[in-house]
Amino acid sequence: MAGTTGTGTRRGFIGGAAALTATAALARPAPAAATTPRRNRRSTAAQAVAVLGGGVAGLTAAHELAERGFRVTVYERKNALGGKARSMDVPGSARGTRRPLPGEHGFRFFPGFYRNLPDTLRRIPFPGNAGGCHDNLVPSTEALMARIGREDLRLPFSRLGNVPPVLTPDAFRRAVTAFFELQLPAHELAYMADRLLVWFTSCDRRRTQEWERIPWWQFTGADRMSSDYRKLLCVGITRNIVATKAEVASTKTVSTYVEAFFYNILDRGADGEPDRVLNAPTGEAWIDPWVTYLRSLGVEFRTGLAVKDLRMSGGRIAEAVLQDAGGAGRSVTADHFVSAMPVEHARTTWNAQVRAADPQLARCDRLMTDWMTGIQFYLTEPTPIVHGHVDHLDTPWSVTSVGQAQFWKGRDFRRDYGDGTVADCLSCIASEWDKPGILYGKTAKQCTREEVAREVWAQMKAGLNDTGNTVLSDAKLHSWFLDPAVQLGGPHPANDEQLLIHPTGTWYNRPSAGTAIPNFFLAGDYVATDIDLATMEGANAAARAAVNALLDTVDSPAERCTVTPLYRAPEFEFLKQQDEIRYKLGLRNVFDLG
């Protein structure tokens, strides 16, 4: 279908955007300078660590251990490093001296409330960057909620203006309603602001013991509100961001993310802007330089080896049994083992003896994963729909997307990638694989790969092209790439790269980084961390905690890894202390009117 690609004739700013200004009411701490590698040249050099998994958690653990003098070998089941964060070459797409088209498991972004992962990025050297790979982060300035048959909502990421230096409950309510003014009735916005105030002033015990057991749907009163309220503030947040269903998602998990993002908007405790992306494909901007730096520290990498079993002797892990693609096995021994695989793969390696040694491992069987998978559409013309991410709000498959070329400064897509005709990459994620689509009436799992691509494209066009302005044109679609981890078209669809989801009660089954086995440690986004969400930040923080547990076990004098918690507003600490008393007495939060 021919048409003109436009940035939007009807993409009106939301009503509350007038209250958003570029002037921050609260100053952000200056970013930390690139950190000098924290080496310790003691006897740790004689100790070998096997890191099982080469994703963000595994590379973080290797980074921290190598800088402290340990001998580290990373074992990865795939033939590439970086896990779900890696870039993938689209097979057969390169011509001449160009690189293959860049594919990925799904786009990734780096909110400003991430603090641990940015520290790691600063410590990865990158040519020409004083701040290492961290300098490859660039901010997006807005997000778009695309709706079918209705005006889209544009959300600028400028800071909230007129915020007082002290957050009183009334000031908090005003700030929330100003930011979330999404053409909803005033009483619904006020209700949501009050519910969030309940969370922000709840003590830690109430958060983990009460709100962890309450679904977000119930906490936000979704049944009593309008369809727009449910779609924008309930389903939109949980399905498209947290990748779980509002009806079952833990209030603790969802609210923790909302709280961190809101403080980021207020410029409190932030490393940078609320939404940041990389200025190049992930491999070029981050993963490849990281692996190069780790090699310089002496880290060794063994790829194409899947962990099949962990064998114990004398109360410790004695060896890991690995297998290559041809089925040949090998045994790996080390002084210490860090399991840095996703939970759905890690728990298959824990035999009965290992599980008996630490009951928290068996509880990991209750952790749930779901499909949240990326697909890239390559376009022959630049298509900057918005300078940031798009939430295709009415899509049955909960699609989100971002136009990537606009952020890849210093790169000419036609010159550098593919066959010379591709000018942009619209990177998308589908989070709902069990609802019928609009083209074939089938769920994504029932479709072939070709049908999935056609369906996602059609769902995005339904929202972006619905008023005659052809934002996405079939004539400008060059090709697409669906994550090869997804196997479709047969009776048993499978996804080798799933995502931890967070229904109520999930927190109680998330393990700690240290285990009862003295030389066995866990690193991954399923390990209990402050962020309480399956993210790269969570994987990074968990790896740091695993290294600290290892250092404690061997009584090492090496400096412990810094694990930076999420920001806590000092104004609300007194209210949280009061809520602790109320909770012990069986009383509601003082702002909880039911």
Side-chain angles (χ1 to χ4, degrees):
M1 183 172 78
T4 302
T5 300
T7 55
T9 58
R10 67 185 178 96
R11 313 223 169 270
F13 279 76
I14 64 171
L20 300 172
T21 72
T23 302
L26 299 160
R28 180 195 305 141
T35 307
T36 301
R38 294 177 292 225
R39 303 177 185 271
N40 182 275
R41 303 185 183 278
R42 195 174 174 267
S43 58
T44 54
Q47 299 187 37
V49 183
V51 176
L52 309 177
V56 172
L59 296 181
T60 301
H63 191 154
E64 300 293 348
L65 288 164
E67 287 189 347
R68 288 162 175 79
F70 289 85
R71 292 188 294 111
V72 182
T73 304
V74 176
Y75 299 90
E76 166 56 40
R77 64 192 179 94
K78 294 186 176 295
N79 290 315
L81 297 164
K84 287 180 281 190
R86 75 191 186 281
S87 300
M88 293 175 272
D89 293 340
V90 177
S93 64
R95 298 291 183 276
T97 59
R98 298 180 188 87
R99 298 168 181 165
L101 291 172
E104 55 195 350
H105 170 74
F107 63 75
R108 53 203 56 86
F109 62 99
F110 302 75
F113 62 80
Y114 284 10
R115 301 299 301 276
N116 297 291
L117 185 60
D119 171 70
T120 297
L121 290 171
R122 285 190 177 92
R123 291 158 49 207
I124 302 170
F126 192 90
N129 289 358
C133 286
H134 187 277
D135 288 355
N136 292 333
L137 295 178
V138 293
S140 73
T141 58
E142 54 190 345
L144 185 73
M145 293 184 176
R147 302 192 291 183
I148 298 176
R150 303 180 65 184
E151 185 168 356
D152 299 340
L153 304 175
R154 192 181 294 255
L155 185 66
F157 286 138
S158 51
R159 300 298 192 264
L160 282 169
N162 303 318
V163 177
V166 177
L167 268 182
T168 65
D170 284 343
F172 174 86
R173 292 187 181 100
R174 289 195 301 271
V176 170
T177 53
F179 184 74
F180 287 113
E181 192 174 342
L182 302 171
Q183 300 179 7
L184 292 173
H187 73 278
E188 292 189 343
L189 285 172
Y191 182 78
M192 175 57 80
D194 282 343
R195 297 310 292 159
L196 290 178
L197 182 60
V198 169
W199 166 262
F200 275 63
T201 58
S202 287
C203 64
D204 292 341
R205 189 183 308 227
R206 189 186 298 276
R207 291 183 175 198
T208 56
Q209 296 184 6
E210 181 176 357
W211 302 136
E212 171 62 20
R213 293 184 170 92
I214 301 295
W216 176 249
W217 188 268
Q218 179 181 336
F219 180 79
T220 57
D223 281 334
R224 303 190 300 275
M225 299 298 173
S226 66
S227 175
D228 280 349
Y229 175 96
R230 292 193 292 270
K231 185 168 291 187
L232 291 167
L233 298 180
C234 300
V235 175
I237 291 175
T238 57
R239 195 59 188 165
N240 292 41
I241 297 177
V242 189
T244 191
K245 295 178 174 63
E247 294 83 353
V248 300
S250 156
T251 290
K252 176 185 181 296
T253 300
V254 178
S255 297
T256 297
Y257 185 93
V258 171
E259 179 180 33
F261 185 80
F262 185 71
Y263 283 141
N264 195 174
I265 289 291
L266 294 180
D267 218 3
R268 290 194 173 199
D271 175 77
E273 292 80 358
D275 186 8
R276 299 171 296 180
V277 296
L278 290 167
N279 62 4
T282 312
E284 297 176 41
W286 174 24
I287 301 299
D288 293 346
W290 200 5
V291 172
T292 298
Y293 176 62
L294 295 183
R295 290 188 195 277
S296 76
L297 296 180
V299 176
E300 297 184 2
F301 295 96
R302 303 285 184 267
T303 59
L305 294 171
V307 182
K308 293 300 181 181
D309 194 19
L310 297 173
R311 293 176 179 169
M312 295 187 65
S313 177
R316 300 168 62 87
I317 302 295
E319 62 178 342
V321 178
L322 282 67
Q323 187 179 83
D324 64 21
R330 69 174 66 180
S331 173
V332 170
T333 60
D335 297 300
H336 311 282
F337 294 82
V338 177
S339 178
M341 296 173 284
V343 65
E344 68 271 22
H345 298 296
R347 60 193 174 196
T348 66
T349 70
W350 304 334
N351 59 38
Q353 188 179 13
V354 172
R355 288 166 180 261
D358 191 341
Q360 70 171 342
L361 299 178
R363 290 200 301 271
C364 290
D365 290 339
R366 303 172 194 167
L367 296 176
M368 300 173 63
T369 61
D370 201 354
W371 291 31
M372 187 178 187
T373 304
I375 179 170
Q376 288 77 55
F377 295 95
Y378 303 101
L379 311 174
T380 58
E381 295 293 337
T383 310
I385 300 167
V386 67
H387 194 255
H389 294 85
V390 182
D391 185 342
H392 301 269
L393 203 61
D394 295 327
T395 52
W397 289 3
S398 296
V399 177
T400 49
S401 68
V402 62
Q404 294 187 315
Q406 63 185 319
F407 297 104
W408 292 354
K409 304 303 180 184
R411 284 167 174 76
D412 182 304
F413 211 108
R414 289 190 180 98
R415 180 196 66 203
D416 296 338
Y417 302 100
D419 61 5
T421 66
V422 177
D424 206 348
C425 173
L426 184 61
S427 186
C428 309
I429 290 176
S431 300
E432 174 56 79
W433 287 71
D434 295 305
K435 286 186 179 179
I438 64 176
L439 276 186
Y440 304 104
K442 297 190 294 186
T443 70
K445 291 178 182 177
Q446 294 170 333
C447 290
T448 64
R449 295 174 69 85
E450 178 76 28
E451 288 172 338
V452 167
R454 292 180 180 274
E455 182 73 57
V456 172
W457 183 252
Q459 291 184 24
M460 290 193 297
K461 289 198 301 181
L464 294 174
N465 296 357
D466 59 345
T467 60
N469 181 38
T470 306
V471 178
L472 298 181
S473 167
D474 292 347
K476 297 175 182 176
L477 177 59
H478 176 277
S479 56
W480 53 269
F481 176 78
L482 177 62
D483 187 347
V486 175
Q487 300 298 317
L488 300 170
H492 304 292
N495 187 347
D496 194 45
E497 299 280 8
Q498 298 192 33
L499 180 74
L500 179 73
I501 60 173
H502 304 268
T504 55
T506 296
W507 179 254
Y508 309 127
N509 298 317
R510 298 182 69 169
S512 61
T515 75
I517 303 172
N519 70 332
F520 185 54
F521 310 90
L522 306 179
D525 61 11
Y526 67 98
V527 174
T529 61
D530 198 45
I531 196 170
D532 188 23
L533 186 65
T535 57
M536 297 183 295
E537 173 78 351
N540 184 276
R544 290 165 178 250
V547 171
N548 285 346
L550 191 158
L551 295 174
D552 289 345
T553 297
V554 300
D555 196 25
S556 169
E559 180 183 356
R560 298 314 189 249
C561 306
T562 299
V563 183
T564 304
L566 293 172
Y567 175 80
R568 296 172 68 107
E571 299 97 316
F572 289 154
E573 290 305 305
F574 176 75
L575 291 170
K576 290 179 181 179
Q577 293 169 9
Q578 296 301 304
D579 191 58
E580 174 75 20
I581 297 172
R582 295 180 64 86
Y583 185 73
K584 290 179 179 178
L585 294 174
L587 301 174
R588 295 174 184 253
N589 179 281
V590 69
F591 298 105
D592 190 355
L593 303 179

